[in-house]
Every structure is written in structure tokens, then in C-alpha cells.
Amino acid sequence: MSLRVERDVPLAPLTTLELGGAAEAFVAVESEAECLEAVEYAQAHGLALTFLGGGSNVVVPDAGVSGLVVAMRNRGIQFEEAAGRSVILRAAAGEPWENVVDAAVSRELAGLECLTGIPGLAGATPIQNVGAYGQEIGDQLVSVEVFDREEGMRRVLGRDDCELAYRDSRLKRDPTRFVVLAVSFELERGGAPALRYGELAEACPASASLAEVRHTVLALRRKKSMVLDPDDPNRRSAGSFFTNPVVDDETYARVVDAALARGLVEREDAIPCFPSDGRKKLAAGWLIERAGIHKGLRRGRVGVSSAHALALVHHGGGSTSELLALAGEIRAKVAAVFSVKLECEPQLLGPHGAPALP
Ligand SMILES: Cc1cc2nc3c(=O)[nH]c(=O)nc-3n(C[C@H](O)[C@H](O)[C@H](O)COP(=O)(O)OP(=O)(O)OC[C@H]3O[C@@H](n4cnc5c(N)ncnc54)[C@H](O)[C@@H]3O)c2cc1C
């Protein structure tokens, strides 16, 4: 047994929110073999298992996390030439995501350039089908190598097996089953950058290189405090705390009526709304601000980012319960004004006794 399992390890420093209690037991694994050893260790000791990447999309309860928390630290990026101009990039789960984007862009491989600046590790990207500025990892995903805890074996899930959707996947819906070990993407050598997102297309010439697009995305993200920057007062966050609600026509009509009746817009087309698989995707940040929650709002030691209404921030010395109370307040306001229920994007860690996200 080469594993170094520690007891009572504070998790806050391992998360971008810097909140929450300790792990009952904790181990960092640097290879697939160690990861599988950790799974066996948990089984042998009757411990619940929780996996942690870069901690940028999790909320740790103040009471901590019971069982064994396994931090994925297996590294490595490989390339394999495929048909035509396709190249398969395989990243180990513990590889920092920005290294993956950098490896692709610096080799002129198109497909991930708009996903720059997203904190965390490669293994977490399929969990919520990470996306930004017009790209989602699902656009390029070929396969996810997993350990299937239900079957007790290593498996390769194809893209369709992952059932990816907007900020969602089968892996997210079934968190106790799959451990992500590695992720593979199909990229295009010499391919054009994706300029699908309005704000990005406006900021980039149509002839922009992959590196220029990446640079522009980073600049846009920085303005919204959406990169990890130690000098940014909004730096302790989990990115967007709420997903954009995807609603049916009836709910959308209620939103329009509420916005017009309250004088929040003069015309329906002033409400940001995008088609999404036959439904309508609303902008959660717009709903939050129009419901009366403003950027920079503070509730004690937590608040709303001064740069982005969708991000909740921790100002230091706070608690997860304060953060969840603020999230609950925001959800209640949006529900009262628009009759829309906002869903929380980050995952609340802790298989036992964890309070539900509001
Ligand atoms: C400033 C900021 C900006 C962000 N911007 C974006 C954005 O633009 N788009 C976007 O989609 N997200 C964004 N995020 C959210 C977050 O960065 C992504 O969701 C990221 O992929 C999470 O990676 P992580 O390694 O930190 O995962 P963690 O937060 O450690 O884990 C997230 C979830 O995945 C599970 N998990 C992690 N690794 C594994 C594994 N190997 N096997 C099984 N389960 C695993 C965890 O148990 C947890 O449930 C942002 C976050 C921050 C702080």
C-alpha cells in the first residue's frame, strides 16, 4: 500500500471558494493505479468516496465531508494523429485544464481555444460539459476513460454514453458511479477558431488566429472576474453559481409578462433569450439583476461579485452556510418576480449529512 491517507484535512484551501470544513480522510492520487487503490481502501474501510479536481465547482459543507476525499493528481497529455487533419488529444484527469488548452492552441489544434481560463482539471470537464464563449467540451469529446464503481472495472465511455447536455451529463447525474481517469478530444490541425459567441466575434477580426482568440477570451473573462487572479477582490468564487434556466413556452410567457408589467423592459425582444433544443434559454444574470439583486451586494462575509451577477463570492472569514443563505435569497427573489427556479451550478460535496443546496 503506497497510499498516504491523512485524517481531518481542511478542504477550504483546496477550493476556489475557500469555504467549508475538513475531509474525514483525504488522499491525493498521482496515477490511475493509486486512484484504484484509493477506491479499494475506501471499500475496505467502509468509507464513502468523494472525488475532487481543482475544487472550482464545489461547495464544501461547514461540517466537512465524511468518508475519503480523493484528489485527482494524475498528469499527462498525449497526442495521436487520426484521419485527415484530426488529432486526438488525451489528457489525464489530474492535468490542469489550462495546460490542455495551451497544448492544443500552441500546436495550432482548433477546438478548445474558447475554453481558456476555466479553472480546474481535465477530469472534471465532462462532468458538467464545461462550456464558454460558444464552445463546449462536448463539441470535441471523443471518449472518457472511467473506473465504473458499479461494475468494478475500467471502461471507456463514448461521447454518446456520457449523455452530455447544457452543464450536465450522465457522470454528473450519477456521481457515485464513475471516476474519470482520462478524457480524449478530437481537434483539427490548422482549423479555424470558433467565433460563434457575439461578444467574442465583435472583439476578434474574422481572420484571428487560435492564439489571438484565446487571448481575447482571457481578456473578456478577466473583466468579469472569471479567471483566477490573486489580486482580484472577486477571486474566491465557484464561477457562475446558477445555470441559465432553459424553460418551456409557458414559463417564458410568464417571464415576458412579468418583465413588461414591472416596466423592466419596453419590448419582449429586450429580454436576453436563446433557442435551446426547442426550448428557450434565459440569462440567469439578467433575471437576478432585474429581480433587484445587484453586482457587489454584500451579506456579511459573502456577496455577489462586483463584476458578474451570476457569481457569488466569499470575502474571507465566512462560512458555507452564509453563502448558501445568500444563494437561497437570490433564488427566492427570482422566483417571486419571474416564477423561474434557478438551479445551482456547483456541486455540494459530502455524501452524508450534507445540507441541500437551496
Ligand atoms: C472563476 C471561475 C470561472 C469559471 N468559469 C467556467 C466557465 O466558463 N464554464 C464552465 O463550464 N465552468 C466554469 N467554472 C466552473 C469550473 O471551473 C468547471 O466546472 C471545472 O471543470 C471544474 O473543475 P475542477 O477540477 O475544479 O472540479 P471540482 O470542482 O474539483 O469538481 C467538480 C465536480 O466534479 C467531480 N469530479 C472532479 N473530478 C472528478 C473525477 N476525476 N472523477 C469523477 N468526478 C470528478 C467532483 O466530485 C465535483 O462533483 C468556473 C469556475 C471559476 C471559479
Side-chain angles (χ1 to χ4, degrees):
M1 165 75 62
S2 58
L3 289 184
R4 227 183 112 237
V5 179
E6 297 171 82
R7 295 277 156 179
D8 248 343
V9 173
L11 291 173
L14 301 176
T15 69
T16 53
L17 271 168
E18 296 180 26
L19 282 176
E24 181 187 357
F26 175 89
V27 66
V29 295
E30 294 188 358
S31 66
E32 278 190 30
E34 280 189 8
C35 178
L36 303 189
E37 234 182 285
V39 173
E40 279 170 22
Y41 178 94
Q43 271 163 359
H45 293 79
L47 294 169
L49 265 172
T50 302
F51 289 86
L52 186 67
S56 63
N57 211 24
V58 291
V59 177
V60 176
D62 292 319
V65 177
S66 53
L68 178 64
V69 173
V70 181
M72 300 299 289
R73 300 292 181 257
N74 55 327
R75 305 276 299 263
I77 300 176
Q78 286 122 29
F79 297 90
E80 190 189 314
E81 296 293 331
R85 298 197 301 175
S86 289
V87 175
I88 306 296
L89 180 160
R90 177 188 183 273
E95 187 66 40
W97 177 245
E98 198 59 18
N99 291 356
V100 178
V101 175
D102 186 58
V105 170
S106 62
R107 286 168 177 78
E108 297 291 336
L109 300 174
L112 303 177
E113 59 283 352
C114 300
L115 302 177
T116 186
I118 300 179
L121 309 182
T125 57
I127 306 281
Q128 70 153 7
N129 185 18
V130 154
Y133 291 92
Q135 276 182 337
E136 282 183 338
I137 62 107
D139 303 336
Q140 313 302 142
L141 188 74
V142 179
S143 61
V144 181
E145 293 162 53
V146 295
F147 181 72
D148 182 339
R149 292 169 58 200
E150 202 172 289
E151 303 284 332
M153 61 189 268
R154 198 180 189 291
R155 285 177 59 192
V156 180
L157 302 180
R159 183 190 181 284
D160 291 347
D161 299 325
C162 295
E163 297 169 16
L164 300 173
Y166 165 64
R167 296 300 166 274
D168 195 24
S169 74
R170 180 181 176 198
L171 307 164
K172 182 172 175 177
R173 289 192 294 276
D174 206 352
T176 56
R177 178 161 181 185
F178 300 109
V179 186
V180 178
L181 302 170
V183 193
S184 292
F185 303 99
E186 181 173 1
L187 307 176
E188 187 187 355
R189 188 179 297 288
L195 289 177
R196 300 182 198 116
Y197 193 80
E199 191 186 11
L200 179 61
E202 273 169 34
C204 275
S207 59
S209 66
L210 295 178
E212 283 163 342
V213 168
R214 179 184 181 201
H215 181 78
T216 307
V217 169
L218 281 173
L220 292 171
R221 293 185 67 95
R222 193 160 281 120
K223 275 197 223 154
K224 298 174 193 169
S225 294
M226 280 290 153
V227 289
L228 292 183
D229 174 353
D231 297 327
D232 186 334
N234 298 307
R235 67 186 174 280
R236 295 188 200 89
S237 86
S240 300
F241 204 85
F242 302 100
T243 53
N244 291 319
V246 180
V247 299
D248 56 22
D249 288 345
E250 203 181 307
T251 310
Y252 173 71
R254 278 205 303 270
V255 170
V256 174
D257 288 348
L260 291 171
R262 288 172 177 258
L264 299 172
V265 288
E266 283 178 11
R267 295 192 338 240
E268 178 182 339
D269 61 11
I271 300 174
C273 176
F274 311 91
S276 179
D277 291 334
R279 290 160 45 106
K280 292 185 166 63
K281 192 196 282 180
L282 298 166
W286 187 90
L287 295 172
I288 289 170
E289 290 200 88
R290 296 311 180 284
I293 300 278
H294 300 294
K295 288 177 195 153
L297 172 108
R298 272 188 86 142
R299 292 280 182 262
R301 292 162 296 181
V302 298
V304 176
S305 164
S306 59
H308 199 322
L310 258 188
L312 302 192
V313 295
H314 168 216
H315 293 291
S319 66
T320 296
S321 52
E322 285 174 284
L323 186 88
L324 296 184
L326 174 59
E329 178 187 336
I330 293 171
R331 285 185 88 192
K333 281 226 164 119
V334 169
V337 173
F338 294 110
S339 309
V340 169
K341 189 176 164 215
L342 291 182
E343 300 294 342
C344 295
E345 187 185 301
Q347 302 295 297
L348 187 73
L349 289 190
H352 296 315
L357 278 172

